[in-house]
Amino acid sequence: MAWRDLFPVLIQLDQVHVVDNKRDSIQWKDGDSVSEVSASNIWNTVRYSDLEVGWSKIVWCAHCIPRHAFLLWLIMRKKLLTQDIILQWDLSRRKNMNMMCCLLCYENHDSHEHLFFECKYSAKIWNNVRQKAGMYDVAPKWEEIVEWLLDRASSKSASNYVSRILVAATAYFIWQERNAKLFKNQVRPPDQLCQIIINIVRYKLMGVRLKRNDNVLKLLREWEIQDGDRSDDGG
Ligand SMILES: [Zn+2]
């Protein structure tokens, strides 16, 4: 009775079986399944969950670079605040406002499709780095790039892993450059940005444990990574 006074909700229970010699524990009930109480179990119950999208494996691949993956996720969902998206917020402003042109080339509008990577500036970078990921004939068009990656989304090969992180890094640095131009009026030459992208992918490769086989060894050679360069703590 003391328990029922303390926790009136217990009155709703038909019958309480008290098992001696067994400690009470708090559990989380989600529909019919009962699990331990943890932040992840609670989050999985309260969050809205939809069917898994095909591109999730490209974005959230193992050993991705988290800040690049997050940006890639925003691009896939078209959530970056490019001018085309901002203008959609307020249709009435469209009448009075012209869409800002792309500050990297001044030849087109600032939009997802244009920045990744149809823009003259972006295309130059993409055409320069793509061969490092074996994507020689993939045009600087987001749809084509995603299609290429989707065809290989279930592959666990090291070369496909490189393709995913290289595409994410390229998009990330182009978005950074677009913002640097917009807010600080600074932009680095495409060659310099290519080198930064390649270096960051290379450093990542140096830190990731890849199961060695002939293809992996060939890939590491192509990226000029010696066995001694690689750290052993994964990452
Ligand atoms: Zn442009």
Side-chain angles (χ1 to χ4, degrees):
M1 278 311 283
W3 278 95
R4 288 186 185 176
D5 289 342
L6 209 54
F7 302 107
V9 70
L10 292 176
I11 295 166
Q12 292 172 21
L13 296 175
D14 294 339
Q15 236 177 348
V16 180
H17 297 286
V18 179
V19 182
D20 292 332
N21 303 325
K22 198 166 179 197
R23 284 181 74 94
D24 289 339
S25 67
I26 300 171
Q27 298 198 306
W28 184 255
K29 192 166 183 289
D30 179 10
D32 290 333
S33 80
V34 177
S35 55
E36 62 178 286
V37 179
S38 68
S40 69
N41 284 335
I42 294 170
W43 170 241
N44 276 326
T45 304
V46 299
R47 78 185 175 108
Y48 171 76
S49 53
D50 217 329
L51 288 174
E52 192 176 313
V53 286
W55 46 258
S56 68
K57 285 197 180 93
I58 301 174
V59 174
W60 308 114
C61 68
H63 306 299
C64 62
I65 299 172
R67 62 184 190 279
H68 298 183
F70 181 64
L71 187 96
L72 198 55
W73 178 71
L74 291 174
I75 297 172
M76 291 293 198
R77 304 197 63 214
K78 284 211 173 182
K79 294 288 184 190
L80 292 180
L81 292 182
T82 47
Q83 287 293 303
D84 55 333
I85 303 291
I86 290 173
L87 289 185
Q88 278 170 19
W89 289 353
D90 186 352
L91 290 174
S92 63
R93 284 166 70 198
R94 268 183 172 176
K95 291 176 204 153
N96 311 322
M97 253 178 85
N98 288 322
M99 209 195 303
M100 184 181 87
C101 77
C102 167
L103 297 173
L104 297 172
C105 70
Y106 296 102
E107 285 181 12
N108 213 318
H109 295 310
D110 181 64
S111 68
H112 283 70
E113 290 79 12
H114 178 70
L115 280 171
F116 311 108
F117 302 109
E118 294 172 25
C119 171
K120 221 159 68 177
Y121 178 89
S122 313
K124 215 177 230 176
I125 291 164
W126 172 249
N127 290 337
N128 204 321
V129 298
R130 64 183 174 181
Q131 81 272 7
K132 290 292 275 182
M135 299 172 78
Y136 304 98
D137 50 3
V138 185
K141 279 183 182 291
W142 194 248
E143 256 178 45
E144 277 189 41
I145 292 167
V146 171
E147 203 176 306
W148 193 96
L149 292 173
L150 277 176
D151 285 346
R152 296 155 179 83
S154 48
S155 160
K156 290 197 166 96
S157 77
S159 60
N160 284 316
Y161 162 65
V162 170
S163 313
R164 286 170 210 146
I165 61 168
L166 186 104
V167 169
T170 309
Y172 178 85
F173 282 101
I174 285 172
W175 180 245
Q176 293 272 306
E177 221 50 26
R178 177 261 189 203
N179 289 337
K181 179 73 196 200
L182 180 59
F183 299 115
K184 294 188 260 175
N185 200 25
Q186 291 170 357
V187 67
R188 290 171 284 192
D191 287 352
Q192 196 184 337
L193 213 65
C194 288
Q195 206 48 55
I196 292 169
I197 293 165
I198 287 168
N199 282 344
I200 207 140
V201 172
R202 184 168 176 269
Y203 292 145
K204 184 70 190 172
L205 274 175
M206 283 163 69
V208 174
R209 271 189 208 188
L210 298 170
K211 211 172 167 187
R212 281 175 224 191
N213 57 39
D214 288 348
N215 287 336
V216 169
L217 290 173
K218 184 168 167 269
L219 182 101
L220 294 176
R221 272 200 304 276
E222 281 167 7
W223 282 86
E224 295 165 36
I225 298 171
Q226 314 284 321
D227 263 357
D229 289 339
R230 296 168 57 218
S231 75
D232 276 336
D233 52 5

